[in-house]
Amino acid sequence: MAEIESHDYDVIVIGAGGAGLRAAIEARSRGLRTAVLCKSLFGKAHTVMAEGGIAAAMGNVNSGDDWQVHFRDTMRGGKFLNNWRMAELHATEAPQRVWELETYGALFDRTADGRISQRNFGGHEYPRLAHVGDRTGLELIRTLQQQVVSLQQSDHAEHGDYEAGLRVFAEFTVTDLLLDDDRIAGTLGYWRENGRFVRLRAPAVVLATGGIGKSFKVTSNSWEYTGDGHALALRAGARLINMEFVQFHPTGMVWPPSVKGILVTESVRGDGGVLRDASGRRFMFDYIPEVFKESYADSPEEADRWYSDPDNNRRPPELLPRDEVARAINNEVKEGRGTPHGGVYLDVASRLSTEEIMRRLPSMHHQFKELADVDITSERMEVGPTCHYVMGGVEVDPDTAASSVPGLFAAGEVAGGMHGSNRLGGNSLSDLLVFGRRAGAGAAEHVAAARHAHPDVSEEVVTEAVNSALAPFEVTDARGQENPYSLQAELQQVMNRLVGIIRDGAEMCAALEQLAEIKQRAARLAVPEGNRHFNPGWHLALDLRNMLVVSECVAAAALRRTESRGGHTRDDHPGMNPKWRGTLLGCELRDGSIEITEHEQPPMREDLLRLFSLEELGKYFTEEELAVVRTPS
Ligand code: FAD
């Protein structure tokens, strides 16, 4: 094999969204030589698209808020399937991470008395989302990047080289993790511009690659989100958990077709917007589930009073967790009460003044005006569910973000456990910072421990990875060649149609059969045109390997879980089953196929269990699990 570009680092971070940048800052600040790799331009990641805000119990707008309330909301939102230790760390550390962002230069919207302002969001008991209008992710990425640049400037001052301690490889795609026996030893990737391969050696890799949404036809996710990190972890021998839980955000654009799926932020509802059927009826009052009845208003009058007097009224049902609202919209459309383009109306025009809309929701105004020619200050938006977020991901140790593969860490959307069966809005941005920092620290500690036993990458391992990436150029016989774009479209249809928002056993069996067939055909994926110089067909052929294995995980785990919970709704198994609450489904790759295994959920610590009423716990837990809190402490 020809010589390929090679570099040595202490820590490699794959992904330059919020989780990746925070991990890299931590590793570099602890003195480690760190590389950050990202598939698209530096600064272009899902994090930058985040609109609504970052959840942190700072209590600035309602002093009743604290970490225990945030913890409770997060566990309720995830229907108690969350890894409780992650939820605890997240709730306790999120405020510090937001304040830290201010030290990096972030400028959040303020309250009248000058504190960071916080807004309402679905499932959060108090106004909790720190925000910058509806462009919060942009501010988050801007300030993390600024911190990266600032570290690079100090490296230049000390070593005469900006990249001595922290280098960014942009428009660079990782195709494989390289192992030394079962330990991490580095990565193989290629420059998207010229297709040249690069080997990076390091004893620690942090996966921060975001989500999997591009496996579904209607999605808020952009082109990069093909589940690469999930697939890299599987191929390296790590386990994924909770893959059956995919979040369909209730409000994506439904019209025109070219923009179907683009997100309409939950802040529209948080700031007073309401959902109406085609006749103008506010329908969410019909969809308050038993477990949430006590906390949500049952009349429009009470719901509207809540905005000005939250202490004496219950919340509007438009602010139920996302899974509940998405199912309600789905049902309205199915029963024939939808809008002409198959959605429902989201109405903020009749609820807020033009000035308020322009101040609080400038991006939404721009988005609808430009893309749909709708002026949201005077017209209603048409919206419907869109695939948005994956709760499932790499199983990690909550404190260190370490996976079961020595040297492999994961943080952000690619990691599993934190959000259980359903994520609350705003809890992702805080998750990225809390666990990004922990992953950077975990990787640094791992490197320190491995200081005298650095793993190495054999030439055979690298050659095998390069050959596998070049395989689509070797399929030269025109008969039987498969086109990456057609296969991707087929895959997206299968996932949307058969493993979407409402599922049933027969459909998922059909999905698994069709995925197996697509997988067979994918062996003949070909790139008949062009060479390795910027060749999107080749890039997609490589991404498709990842999308396929991740889709198989989602479908197989969803088939196995015979209950409905959070982001997993089965027509043939409606309702939650307490036995399933204690069970996590793991996905592992064995001989090229996904194997699903059942694992017991670690029991929640007693002091955390006692934060909930027995009556509430009784809706989720078995009698056996509750024995510990039935006796007074
Ligand atoms: P990302 O920000 O998605 O970054 C992933 C990185 O990995 C990118 O740099 C990408 O290029 C890189 N990458 C991927 N694969 C490879 C590869 N093979 N090789 C090299 N690099 C790779 N959450 C909230 O909490 N609040 C909100 O208001 C909010 N609004 C949202 C609005 C939209 C439109 C969307 C899509 C999501 C929103 N979310 C929100 C969710 C949240 O933005 C994401 O979950 C979060 O940003 C994920 O961050 P991350 O750091 O894990 O990954």
Side-chain angles (χ1 to χ4, degrees):
M1 190 183 61
E3 241 342 85
I4 64 172
E5 186 182 335
S6 285
H7 303 276
D8 289 330
Y9 285 93
D10 295 318
V11 176
I12 298 169
V13 178
I14 312 178
L21 290 181
R22 189 59 192 84
I25 289 167
E26 192 64 22
R28 158 61 191 80
S29 302
R30 291 171 182 241
L32 299 187
R33 292 196 64 238
T34 304
V36 183
L37 324 177
C38 56
K39 203 164 162 177
S40 39
L41 292 167
F42 190 46
K44 158 75 184 73
H46 265 166
T47 304
V48 86
M49 294 159 75
E51 294 157 355
I54 173 166
M58 297 185 287
N60 287 354
V61 173
N62 188 320
S63 59
D65 205 9
D66 59 25
W67 78 262
Q68 285 97 334
V69 187
H70 193 180
F71 172 78
R72 279 203 297 261
D73 288 346
T74 301
M75 294 298 296
R76 278 178 194 135
K79 304 272 170 25
F80 286 82
L81 197 100
N82 321 51
N83 179 302
W84 54 263
R85 174 66 178 155
M86 290 176 94
E88 180 193 21
L89 290 170
H90 168 257
T92 49
E93 294 179 8
Q96 296 157 36
R97 298 283 75 78
V98 173
W99 286 316
E100 176 182 72
L101 272 190
E102 284 211 307
T103 70
Y104 295 171
L107 282 172
F108 289 99
D109 289 355
R110 315 308 287 191
T111 59
D113 61 356
R115 289 181 290 173
I116 294 177
S117 177
Q118 301 189 268
R119 66 162 38 123
N120 289 305
F121 239 56
H124 292 280
E125 188 169 337
Y126 294 116
R128 189 176 285 147
L129 269 69
H131 56 274
V132 184
D134 54 4
R135 299 184 181 122
T136 312
L138 177 64
E139 185 69 350
L140 196 140
I141 284 288
R142 184 187 73 73
T143 45
L144 290 174
Q145 284 188 331
Q146 187 170 314
Q147 187 63 10
V148 166
V149 170
S150 149
L151 289 168
Q152 289 179 323
Q153 279 173 341
S154 34
D155 284 339
H156 183 256
E158 194 174 331
H159 308 287
D161 176 4
Y162 288 107
E163 293 178 334
L166 183 52
R167 176 171 171 192
V168 178
F169 293 69
E171 296 198 272
F172 180 95
T173 302
V174 174
T175 55
D176 272 299
L177 298 175
L178 302 173
L179 298 177
D180 178 358
D181 282 335
D182 62 350
R183 297 185 297 167
I184 283 294
T187 61
L188 181 82
Y190 65 91
W191 296 108
R192 294 176 71 78
E193 190 187 354
N194 56 27
R196 287 216 305 270
F197 290 103
V198 182
R199 165 184 40 195
L200 291 125
R201 275 186 294 238
V205 169
V206 178
L207 292 172
T209 48
I212 66 160
K214 267 296 169 195
S215 293
F216 290 79
K217 184 167 162 29
V218 179
T219 178
S220 65
N221 287 196
S222 61
W223 66 268
E224 305 97 304
Y225 297 97
T226 49
D228 296 7
H230 291 76
L232 289 169
L234 279 171
R235 292 203 291 270
R239 182 192 290 157
L240 307 186
I241 53 165
N242 295 352
M243 289 304 289
E244 63 275 37
F245 299 110
V246 175
Q247 180 170 84
F248 290 83
H249 193 291
T251 60
M253 293 178 80
V254 296
W255 188 258
S258 58
V259 298
K260 193 166 179 165
I262 290 187
L263 196 75
V264 180
T265 175
E266 192 166 322
S267 326
V268 178
R269 283 173 285 132
D271 289 352
V274 294
L275 292 163
R276 300 185 191 280
D277 67 12
S279 72
R281 204 174 71 92
R282 202 171 154 185
F283 59 82
M284 276 307 299
F285 295 98
D286 302 343
Y287 292 94
I288 306 174
E290 207 45 52
V291 288
F292 289 122
K293 279 233 148 81
E294 270 170 32
S295 324
Y296 286 83
D298 53 16
S299 71
E301 294 73 26
E302 182 184 0
D304 285 348
R305 284 197 304 269
W306 176 84
Y307 287 100
S308 52
D309 182 11
D311 293 336
N312 296 307
N313 294 285
R314 290 172 298 172
R315 308 161 59 72
E318 282 85 2
L319 294 181
L320 276 160
R322 288 175 175 173
D323 53 330
E324 309 291 354
V325 184
R327 273 191 296 271
I329 295 176
N330 198 63
N331 198 50
E332 286 294 298
V333 175
K334 200 164 121 200
E335 297 203 342
R337 294 187 289 274
T339 62
H341 301 117
V344 295
Y345 289 118
L346 174 57
D347 169 21
V348 74
S350 74
R351 315 260 311 160
L352 294 181
S353 68
T354 299
E355 190 197 23
E356 279 282 273
I357 293 172
M358 295 307 289
R359 186 171 64 79
R360 290 166 171 263
L361 304 165
S363 302
M364 281 304 106
H365 181 263
H366 181 80
Q367 179 174 313
F368 271 88
K369 195 76 200 114
E370 291 298 311
L371 302 178
D373 196 24
V374 166
D375 178 355
I376 68 166
T377 63
S378 56
E379 295 170 86
R380 298 174 296 188
M381 306 166 230
E382 266 185 273
V383 295
T386 179
C387 173
H388 184 56
Y389 184 90
V390 63
M391 273 67 74
V394 182
E395 186 177 44
V396 289
D397 172 67
D399 290 75
T400 61
S403 76
S404 58
V405 176
L408 185 63
F409 298 77
E413 194 169 339
V414 70
M418 158 70 206
H419 305 284
S421 67
N422 174 51
R423 172 179 73 89
L424 294 186
N427 268 1
S428 173
L429 293 189
S430 37
D431 163 3
L432 310 181
L433 297 177
V434 168
F435 294 104
R437 187 188 75 84
R438 285 184 166 270
E445 278 160 26
H446 174 83
V447 173
R451 190 63 81 191
H452 303 295
H454 256 214
D456 201 9
V457 185
S458 72
E459 282 306 311
E460 291 89 303
V461 168
V462 179
T463 308
E464 202 188 324
V466 167
N467 288 345
S468 154
L470 292 177
F473 289 107
E474 303 300 323
V475 182
T476 49
D477 184 349
R479 286 165 306 169
Q481 280 183 342
E482 293 286 349
N483 176 301
Y485 295 98
S486 319
L487 270 199
Q488 185 194 31
E490 282 185 45
L491 169 74
Q492 291 171 328
Q493 292 284 7
V494 170
M495 292 305 285
N496 232 80
R497 213 162 29 86
L498 303 175
V499 201
I501 187 164
I502 307 289
R503 301 162 170 176
D504 87 45
E507 286 189 347
M508 284 183 293
C509 288
L512 282 166
E513 273 172 33
Q514 292 178 33
L515 289 174
E517 197 238 346
I518 296 176
K519 191 159 132 191
Q520 270 192 355
R521 288 163 55 200
R524 299 191 303 276
L525 270 173
V527 194
E529 280 178 32
N531 53 29
R532 279 157 57 188
H533 279 256
F534 196 81
N535 190 331
W538 178 43
H539 302 166
L540 182 57
L542 295 178
D543 292 347
L544 257 173
R545 301 189 307 185
N546 302 331
M547 295 168 81
L548 269 163
V549 72
V550 165
S551 299
E552 193 182 337
C553 289
V554 175
L559 181 62
R560 179 73 74 90
R561 184 171 286 272
T562 47
E563 65 156 357
S564 294
R565 182 182 297 271
H568 170 64
T569 305
R570 288 198 53 164
D571 245 356
D572 50 351
H573 294 281
M576 283 184 284
N577 177 341
K579 273 196 345 235
W580 271 115
R581 197 214 60 81
T583 306
L584 297 176
L585 292 179
C587 302
E588 281 162 79
L589 195 58
R590 300 247 182 270
D591 302 322
S593 291
I594 291 300
E595 188 179 292
I596 303 289
T597 46
E598 295 184 13
H599 306 270
E600 213 176 300
Q601 171 91 287
M604 202 194 296
R605 228 176 43 224
E606 190 184 330
D607 59 312
L608 295 177
L609 263 183
R610 288 189 187 278
L611 293 174
F612 300 90
S613 72
L614 256 177
E615 195 194 351
E616 178 170 20
L617 292 176
K619 296 173 187 164
Y620 299 93
F621 286 74
T622 60
E623 267 309 305
E624 216 180 342
E625 288 170 312
L626 290 184
V628 62
V629 277
R630 287 217 181 270
T631 47
S633 55

